[in-house]
Amino acid sequence: WKQELTGAPSPTPLPTNQVDRQRQGYGRHAFPLTTEFTTKLTPVARSRRLTGDSIIQGAGALLLGGYRGARVMLFGWPVSGRPPYSHDAQTRVGLFITPLPLRVGVELDRPFSEWLAALLEKQIRIRDFETSSLLDIQEWSELQPGVPLFDSLVDFDTVPTNRTGSDHPTEISIDHVEYHEQSNFPISISALPGEQLTLVAFYESSF
């Protein structure tokens, strides 16, 4: 983590020139992509050995970078907290999801698929250390005490929502899923897989 965060910038916030401090609470906005776009995205990702998560994290970096006018972004990346190297990770009961700081540099002069592939490699490398606590990571970083590691989240949700169908009447079916989230971050962006990939923004109403 010391190597990953050496020279890292402060968290990449959204611009606050249009913030209305009189508005309280949190808002939610969903943006479903078309079925046609979603159908085309999966084979394209597979052909380039990418994952849906790496594509969404790359899009989040471009979004934050565009608003901030920055080339290097630092934001939160939620992970399962069940590292693949732990042989009993999938048998433990409980919620271990935790956000990790993800540092992404936008390279506009590099082919987009190559840039995403490098981002995926970084994610794989970071997951070897995903059980580190945020308190320890904060201490290992060069950020000043009291400065948060990040103030926004970008998440690719992997909660199973597909129906099992009539061929499996005894299996559990998960459908009609609705997300009602609230965090202590000004904005969180989640990508929800399905027939239509849906982007959902949870944000402070003051923005």
Side-chain angles (χ1 to χ4, degrees):
W1 282 112
K2 289 182 178 180
Q3 179 181 355
E4 179 63 27
L5 296 175
T6 296
S10 299
T12 308
L14 291 175
T16 58
N17 58 320
Q18 297 182 352
V19 171
D20 182 359
R21 295 301 182 186
Q22 295 182 352
R23 300 178 64 181
Q24 303 295 323
Y26 281 78
R28 178 185 184 275
H29 181 73
F31 183 78
L33 304 180
T34 65
T35 303
E36 181 182 6
F37 179 87
T38 303
T39 302
K40 291 180 178 179
L41 184 62
T42 300
V44 169
R46 288 176 179 171
S47 67
R48 289 164 172 75
R49 299 182 181 275
L50 299 172
T51 64
D53 188 35
S54 61
I55 293 175
I56 293 302
Q57 299 302 327
L62 292 174
L63 175 67
L64 290 173
Y67 275 106
R68 180 72 188 277
R71 285 295 190 93
V72 180
M73 272 58 67
L74 185 62
F75 52 90
W77 170 45
V79 296
S80 66
R82 300 175 185 271
Y85 55 78
S86 178
H87 66 280
D88 62 343
Q90 302 304 320
T91 62
R92 298 177 184 174
V93 178
L95 189 65
F96 299 101
I97 295 175
T98 183
L100 299 176
L102 184 62
R103 178 185 182 183
V104 182
V106 176
E107 303 175 48
L108 299 178
D109 57 345
R110 189 175 186 180
F112 189 59
S113 59
E114 289 185 12
W115 176 67
L116 289 177
L119 175 56
L120 176 58
E121 291 180 5
K122 175 192 287 283
Q123 290 177 293
I124 294 173
R125 184 171 65 251
I126 287 177
R127 291 212 60 181
D128 285 338
F129 306 94
E130 70 176 82
T131 55
S132 302
S133 73
L134 284 179
L135 289 177
D136 288 337
I137 297 175
Q138 175 84 39
E139 183 177 344
W140 296 329
S141 73
E142 297 179 345
L143 297 176
Q144 296 297 319
V147 177
L149 285 166
F150 44 82
D151 56 9
S152 58
L153 293 176
V154 180
D155 176 35
F156 184 82
D157 209 303
T158 56
V159 175
T161 58
N162 59 299
R163 299 183 180 183
T164 58
S166 58
D167 294 336
H168 306 279
T170 62
E171 295 185 6
I172 296 176
S173 176
I174 303 176
D175 53 21
H176 301 294
V177 175
E178 294 184 8
Y179 290 80
H180 299 277
E181 300 182 13
Q182 179 175 327
S183 69
N184 59 323
F185 302 104
I187 186 168
S188 301
I189 300 174
S190 294
L192 310 180
E195 292 184 3
Q196 288 181 277
L197 180 65
T198 302
L199 305 179
V200 182
F202 304 92
Y203 55 91
E204 287 185 358
S205 297
S206 57
F207 280 92

